[in-house]
């Protein structure tokens, strides 16, 4: 497993994925800061008001798209020149191949989440927001990362099966709107994209109850396990479709 993870990491060394990882969070933060700056008369809740502005575009749109891009990117080399055939006939297990890709994507998203939190704190300093930095936003960032891993497990399954780079990203964008519908319908716990909205407290900064937190973590872990098992199963039994 460690060798597979190391191999996946080396594949990214000379890529430009780092530019995408930086550009999308910066774009979302800039948009949110502009909204906050021009609506400060109505936004009187300090750090929390800033969070509603910067996390809205990031958590609802940019982050899901970024996850899909990362998943498509880590599968791009295998789709070129039918490299899946070479990998699936190597002594490395299919499970290791998938889990290594999921670990790498999870690590990339963790870096992005950390960058976003640092930029959020920096924006608050720039606007001279009074009061202590709200530590609960760190919890929101972590919960957002956990939901991102669940989404990544699903998106990796799509990216492995679909040779097109853009198609899985389009699927992610459609799932974002479906997630919004399910969130509004109060059934967001049943869909990973809605869990991202809930976890990052994008649309509501209401604290989750202990029972809701437990349900949130349980559903994310369940989705990760189910999507990983589904993707690995398809790789094992439908590998010829990748030729």
């Amino acid at each position: 497993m460690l060798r597979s993870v190391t191999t996946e990491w080396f594949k990214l060394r000379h890529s430009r994925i780092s530019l995408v990882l930086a550009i999308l969070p910066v774009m979302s933060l800039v948009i949110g800061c502009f909204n906050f700056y021009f609506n400060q008369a109505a936004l009187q809740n300090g750090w929390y008001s800033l969070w509603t502005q910067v996390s809205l575009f990031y958590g609802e749109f940019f982050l899901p798209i970024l996850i899909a891009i990362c998943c498509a990117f880590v599968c791009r080399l295998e789709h070129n020149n039918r490299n899946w055939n070479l990998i699936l006939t190597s002594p490395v297990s299919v499970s290791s191949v998938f889990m290594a890709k999921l670990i790498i994507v999870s690590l990339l998203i963790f870096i992005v989440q950390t960058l976003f939190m640092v930029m959020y704190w920096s924006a608050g300093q720039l606007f001279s927001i009074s009061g202590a930095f709200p530590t609960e936003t760190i919890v929101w960032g972590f919960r957002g990362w956990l939901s991102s891993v669940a989404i990544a497990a699903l998106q990796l399954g799509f990216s492995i099966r679909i040779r097109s780079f853009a198609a899985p990203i389009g699927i992610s964008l459609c799932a974002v709107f479906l997630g919004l519908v399910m969130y509004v319908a109060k059934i967001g716990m049943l869909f990973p994209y809605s869990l991202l909205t809930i976890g990052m407290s994008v649309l509501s900064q209401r604290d989750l109850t202990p029972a809701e937190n437990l349900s949130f973590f349980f559903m994310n872990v369940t989705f990760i396990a189910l999507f990983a098992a589904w993707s690995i199963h398809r790789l094992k039994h439908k590998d010829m479709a990748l030729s």
Side-chain angles (χ1 to χ4, degrees), residues 78-142:
E78 283 77 9
H79 284 305
N80 292 338
N81 301 318
R82 298 183 177 181
N83 284 335
W84 277 114
N85 292 330
L86 178 62
I87 290 176
L88 295 176
T89 56
S90 69
V92 180
S93 69
V94 170
S95 300
S96 294
V97 172
F98 177 84
M99 291 307 299
K101 291 184 179 297
L102 182 59
I103 289 172
I104 289 299
V105 172
S106 301
L107 178 59
L108 293 176
I109 299 303
F110 184 82
I111 293 172
V112 170
Q113 285 289 85
T114 302
L115 173 63
F116 177 78
M117 295 304 300
V118 171
M119 291 191 300
Y120 166 63
W121 174 84
S122 301
Q125 299 301 311
L126 180 64
F127 287 118
S128 300
I129 296 178
S130 60
F133 179 81
T135 55
E136 54 265 51
T137 58
I138 299 176
V139 176
W140 299 345
F142 175 78

Side-chain angles (χ1 to χ4, degrees), residues 26-92:
V26 169
M27 284 178 58
S28 62
L29 190 98
V30 169
I31 294 172
C33 285
F34 268 104
N35 288 342
F36 179 81
Y37 179 78
F38 289 108
N39 294 279
Q40 291 186 71
L43 300 172
Q44 297 291 326
N45 202 17
W47 286 100
Y48 298 100
S49 292
L50 179 62
W51 179 265
T52 62
Q53 301 306 301
V54 300
S55 68
L56 178 60
F57 290 96
Y58 174 72
E60 283 298 328
F61 299 102
F62 287 99
L63 183 54
I65 292 174
L66 185 59
I67 296 168
I69 291 174
C70 287
C71 291
F73 196 89
V74 297
C75 296
R76 183 174 61 96
L77 182 62
E78 283 77 9
H79 284 305
N80 292 338
N81 301 318
R82 298 183 177 181
N83 284 335
W84 277 114
N85 292 330
L86 178 62
I87 290 176
L88 295 176
T89 56
S90 69
V92 180

